[in-house]
Each structure stands twice: as structure tokens, then as C-alpha cells.
């Protein structure tokens, strides 16, 4: 996967890709003291549009607040504008967007006092994160031997860089065992989420997902809850045990990177008939229509890239004669 682009936005300006560097001694790299977002921009009939930009920018600010990191010198709205500028400058019709708040100044102490936050925003072309066949056929998952965070050990509502060590442990284990993704249980043993996705099950026509209290408040999760309710499905947010997954008619996962993907098998047990089920398919299709601007009902979830103007770095702009 090439993470390349022409420009990366760093602390108020677009810089050339090669110049977007942070020093080795940033405590973010040593201790995972940073927060980030994962966002997507899609091609629509009205040009490239970022899906749920406002909610993502707000979640980034919330993540900063939760960790008690030094506040950024920008509002959520300004962060949103910088995201649109970064996409526009790179001229991608569709891309993944990665803002990261890191420690730009400060020592190696295990605290944020006297530190300064920096913000970088990168974009790159990234197709479906779980692979091109995943949407069609679904993927195979296992229950991870690693427990998901306890809510008083890590802050699960913050998209904190350090939280993802736990995800990487589980995902590596799953891939080495021959699965595609890991399902993680919370410290009480209930189903929490996957390593980078929220999880849903369908049984007897009803849609279930774990309560948001212990997991990341996924923006795709929220979008699907809204769309599913608008479709008339009964949707329940309630604790889910692993055996409820085994006997579900359908299980699917969702997230910005993965979009909506069925789980065809969990712990060697076939889910339903082992194919992407009808409810999952209908939500998958609805989601694709929403993100690509084909459903006017959810038009307010799209922010068009063309609404911003960009200022490219001096060295790259064409001299005036
Ligand atoms: C742990 C975890 N859960 C759920 C999600 C899904 O969240 P979203 O739909 O906002 O991308 C993600 C991805 O950001 C994640 O990392």
C-alpha cells in the first residue's frame, strides 16, 4: 500500500510530502501519546466529498480533551477546513484521511504538562481495508485471546494511538492463525468490537450491537444505526455474548476503513449460510449510496472538497513571471 501524496498539512500549512517530518524524540512515538482520526473522502456526482467531516473533527477534539493533551490552537471547524484543503491540494477523487495530534514539544516525562500539541493531516488512496473480496464474500474471524480495554484502564472513547497496541496484538494473532480479523471481548467477557471496527449481529430480523459505553463511538456505527432505523429494522444496543454471535443469522462489522463487511465464519463456525446475508447486503448497499451522494436524505453527511481554496507551498507554486 502506497501512503503517498503530494502534500501533507502540518501545523497550519501544506508542506511537500517528504518534508512532513517529526523528530525521533517526540514522546508520541515512545509512549503512544497521540490521538488520531480515520476519515474517508468519496467521489460523488458533485465532486469529492468527505463523509461526516463534522463528527470526525469533533471526535478528534474530544480525544484530545479525554487524554488531557494540550488543546490545539484550532476549532473543530478549522480542523475540518484543513482536512478539505489537504484533500483538494492532493487532487484525489477518493482517499483515506489521517489527522494525527502529536506532541510537538515537551520532554520525555509521562505527562502532558508543559507540552505542546501539533497536528498533521495526511491523505492517501486506500481501497477496502479488508481486501476487495471482503465486501462480496465476507471474512473469517476469531475471538481474540487478548481482552479489549477496560474503560478505566484506557479511554475507549478516545482514538488514542496507544490504544491500538491492543488492536495490533489481536490482529497479528488472528492473521497468524489464518483468520482475517479479531473479535475482542471486554473484561466482563461480552463482545466489544473488532480491532478497528464495530460489530453488529442480526437474528430473526432484528439488528443488535453492543452498547457504546465500552467501545469507540464509531461514526459508521452511528450512520448504520440511523439508516437501519430509517429502513424500519428494530435495532437494539445491548450486551452481546460470544455464543450469540455463533447462532446469529448474520454478523457484520463496520468502520471507516473497512466500511460494511459480513463475517462468514467465527471460530470455525459458519454464520448463517456462510454468505453475506440479506440485511447486511441491504445496509451495505444503502451505505454505499449514502457515501457516494446517491441518497439525498443523508446529503448533510457530506462535505464537498470544492468549497475550500488551497494555498500550496511557495516552492511548488508557479512564479508570477
Ligand atoms: C477500535 C475501533 N472501533 C470502531 C471503529 C469504527 O469507527 P468509525 O466508524 O468511526 O471509523 C474504529 C475505527 O475508527 C476503531 O478503531
Amino acid at each position: 500500500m502506497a501512503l503517498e501524496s503530494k502534500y501533507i498539512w502540518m501545523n497550519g500549512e501544506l508542506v511537500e510530502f517528504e518534508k512532513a517530518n517529526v523528530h525521533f524524540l517526540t514522546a508520541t512515538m515512545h509512549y503512544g501519546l497521540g490521538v488520531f482520526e480515520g476519515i474517508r473522502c468519496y467521489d460523488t456526482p458533485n465532486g469529492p466529498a468527505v463523509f461526516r467531516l463534522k463528527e470526525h473533527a469533533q471526535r478528534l477534539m474530544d480525544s484530545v480533551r479525554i487524554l488531557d493533551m494540550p488543546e490545539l490552537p484550532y476549532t473543530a471547524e478549522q480542523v475540518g477546513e484543513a482536512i478539505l484543503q489537504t484533500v483538494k491540494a492532493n487532487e484525489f477523487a477518493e482517499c483515506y484521511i489521517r489527522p494525527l495530534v502529536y506532541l510537538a514539544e515537551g520532554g520525555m516525562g509521562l505527562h502532558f504538562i508543559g507540552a505542546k500539541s501539533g497536528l498533521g493531516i495526511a491523505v492517501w488512496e486506500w481501497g477496502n481495508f479488508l481486501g476487495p473480496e471482503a465486501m462480496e464474500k465476507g471474512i473469517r474471524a476469531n475471538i481474540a485471546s487478548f481482552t479489549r480495554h477496560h474503560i478505566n484502564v484506557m479511554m475507549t472513547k478516545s482514538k488514542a494511538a496507544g490504544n491500538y497496541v491492543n488492536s495490533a496484538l489481536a490482529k497479528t494473532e488472528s492473521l497468524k492463525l489464518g483468520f482475517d480479523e479479531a473479535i475482542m471481548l471486554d473484561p466482563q467477557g461480552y463482545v466489544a468490537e473488532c480491532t478497528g471496527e464495530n460489530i453488529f449481529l442480526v437474528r430473526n430480523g432484528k439488528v443488535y450491537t453492543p452498547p457504546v459505553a465500552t467501545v469507540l463511538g464509531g461514526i459508521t456505527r452511528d450512520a448504520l444505526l440511523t439508516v437501519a432505523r430509517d429502513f424500519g429494522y428494530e435495532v437494539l444496543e445491548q450486551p452481546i455474548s460470544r455464543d450469540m454471535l455463533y447462532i446469529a443469522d448474520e454478523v457484520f462489522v463496520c468502520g471507516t476503513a473497512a466500511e460494511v463487511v459480513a463475517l462468514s465464519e467465527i471460530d470455525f463456525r459458519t454464520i448463517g449460510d456462510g454468505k453475506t446475508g440479506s440485511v447486511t447486503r441491504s445496509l451495505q448497499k444503502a451505505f454505499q449510496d449514502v457515501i457516494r451522494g446517491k441518497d439525498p436524505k443523508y446529503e448533510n453527511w457530506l462535505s464537498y472538497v470544492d468549497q475550500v481554496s488551497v494555498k500550496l507551498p511557495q516552492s511548488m507554486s508557479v512564479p508570477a513571471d
Side-chain angles (χ1 to χ4, degrees):
M1 175 182 62
L3 301 175
E4 272 154 52
S5 65
K6 287 190 268 188
Y7 306 107
I8 292 181
W9 190 97
M10 293 292 288
N11 303 311
E13 57 182 4
L14 288 160
V15 300
E16 285 142 48
F17 182 83
E18 307 74 38
K19 294 188 182 156
N21 299 315
V22 174
H23 199 276
F24 168 71
L25 285 175
T26 171
T28 300
M29 193 153 86
H30 297 254
Y31 306 131
L33 305 180
V35 300
F36 69 97
E37 266 307 312
I39 313 172
R40 274 191 189 272
C41 171
Y42 293 99
D43 200 11
T44 77
N46 297 320
V50 175
F51 183 60
R52 304 203 72 179
L53 176 64
K54 203 165 150 247
E55 289 81 358
H56 281 286
Q58 187 55 52
R59 192 170 65 183
L60 187 72
M61 307 307 262
D62 292 347
S63 292
V64 168
R65 179 69 59 89
I66 290 169
L67 294 203
D68 205 10
M69 285 183 83
E71 298 279 334
L72 289 168
Y74 316 109
T75 61
E77 208 171 297
Q78 288 168 326
V79 170
E81 185 128 325
I83 289 169
L84 293 176
Q85 286 168 352
T86 314
V87 177
K88 187 164 184 182
N90 284 291
E91 299 177 286
F92 288 136
E94 297 209 342
C95 59
Y96 182 80
I97 306 162
R98 169 55 55 83
L100 169 73
V101 180
Y102 62 97
L103 291 179
E105 282 173 29
M108 271 298 161
L110 283 169
H111 59 80
F112 296 111
I113 297 160
K116 194 173 157 204
S117 294
L119 171 65
I121 304 166
V123 297
W124 64 86
E125 286 182 304
W126 201 10
N128 191 290
F129 165 71
L130 292 169
E133 277 181 46
M135 274 266 279
E136 197 44 45
K137 289 175 55 193
I139 57 167
R140 299 173 61 245
N142 68 319
I143 304 287
S145 72
F146 298 96
T147 302
R148 194 61 177 154
H149 302 298
H150 182 284
I151 45 165
N152 214 18
V153 173
M154 294 298 260
M155 300 292 100
T156 61
K157 292 289 166 299
S158 173
K159 227 171 139 53
N163 283 6
Y164 285 82
V165 175
N166 177 249
S167 288
L169 286 169
K171 180 94 180 190
T172 306
E173 176 187 61
S174 289
L175 295 177
K176 286 192 170 179
L177 287 170
F179 295 98
D180 305 302
E181 183 54 289
I183 299 166
M184 306 198 69
L185 307 182
D186 71 18
Q188 278 69 47
Y190 291 104
V191 174
E193 59 191 329
C194 292
T195 61
E197 302 90 28
N198 291 113
I199 188 164
F200 284 71
L201 72 82
V202 181
R203 179 144 161 122
N204 297 330
K206 291 184 192 164
V207 179
Y208 299 80
T209 194
V212 81
T214 62
V215 298
L216 185 75
I219 291 165
T220 318
R221 173 189 184 277
D222 179 75
L224 290 181
L225 286 175
T226 306
V227 172
R229 286 185 175 124
D230 289 351
F231 271 17
Y233 290 117
E234 190 176 339
V235 183
L236 299 138
E237 294 175 68
Q238 63 162 65
I240 292 174
S241 57
R242 73 192 278 177
D243 50 11
M244 287 169 74
L245 296 177
Y246 296 156
I247 57 169
D249 301 323
E250 303 177 32
V251 178
F252 63 89
V253 298
C254 70
T256 298
E259 299 177 337
V260 184
V261 174
L263 299 190
S264 55
E265 191 186 312
I266 299 171
D267 291 345
F268 304 104
R269 292 151 177 89
T270 301
I271 303 303
D273 63 5
K275 300 198 181 88
T276 300
S278 60
V279 177
T280 307
R281 252 190 213 296
S282 70
L283 292 174
Q284 237 174 11
K285 160 126 191 8
F287 186 70
Q288 286 299 320
D289 286 348
V290 170
I291 57 183
R292 294 215 156 67
K294 292 182 189 155
D295 190 336
K297 190 165 181 196
Y298 307 100
E299 177 68 26
N300 63 347
W301 283 349
L302 302 178
S303 297
Y304 292 97
V305 167
D306 270 347
Q307 67 184 272
V308 293
S309 53
V310 290
K311 192 163 166 274
L312 298 180
Q314 290 291 309
S315 60
M316 296 297 284
S317 48
V318 183
D321 282 326

